[in-house]
Amino acid sequence: MDRFKELTFRFSKKEDEEKIRRLIETRFGNRKSFGAYEDIENRYYLAEEEDGTLVAVTGLIDSGVYCGPEVDWTCILEKYEHRGLITFMLDRLLRDVEQD
């Protein structure tokens, strides 16, 4: 965890919807019609700076299509790209997966 000690990690809450929307739309444009903002509670794993700025979002869902977990919407602020943050976050999430 020392690698990203300046960040706080937690699961999303309903009140994070606007932060998540801003981050995703900054990088990808409007994704409302794709379901990116539905059922926000505990859907995403978030990385935040000390001041509460959302810097990365990702998650795992069981879509039923791939017989196991699928990576959900993933987005990261440009200044955090190429540092391994999303890989770090997915590693933490995959430790809790009970499927093969």
Side-chain angles (χ1 to χ4, degrees), residues 56-95:
V57 57
T58 192
L60 295 173
I61 58 172
D62 187 357
S63 69
V65 176
Y66 299 107
C67 300
E70 176 183 357
V71 177
D72 203 351
W73 283 94
T74 296
C75 191
I76 188 168
L77 280 182
E78 194 170 2
K79 74 178 190 175
Y80 281 91
E81 286 183 341
H82 310 295
R83 293 177 51 191
L85 179 56
I86 296 297
T87 302
F88 176 82
M89 294 170 70
L90 288 171
D91 176 67
R92 293 182 74 174
L93 289 173
L94 285 168
R95 292 172 192 229

Side-chain angles (χ1 to χ4, degrees), residues 15-61:
E15 53 267 22
D16 294 317
E17 182 176 341
E18 188 57 35
K19 281 184 178 183
I20 293 167
R21 181 185 306 273
R22 273 196 312 270
L23 178 61
I24 291 175
E25 290 183 2
T26 295
R27 299 309 305 270
F28 301 123
N30 187 326
R31 292 296 183 256
K32 183 175 182 168
S33 63
F34 296 97
Y37 315 119
E38 296 173 6
D39 301 319
I40 294 288
E41 189 78 25
N42 293 314
R43 176 177 176 177
Y44 294 115
Y45 195 51
L46 310 177
E48 293 179 313
E49 292 178 326
E50 192 174 298
D51 66 359
T53 300
L54 183 61
V55 301
V57 57
T58 192
L60 295 173
I61 58 172

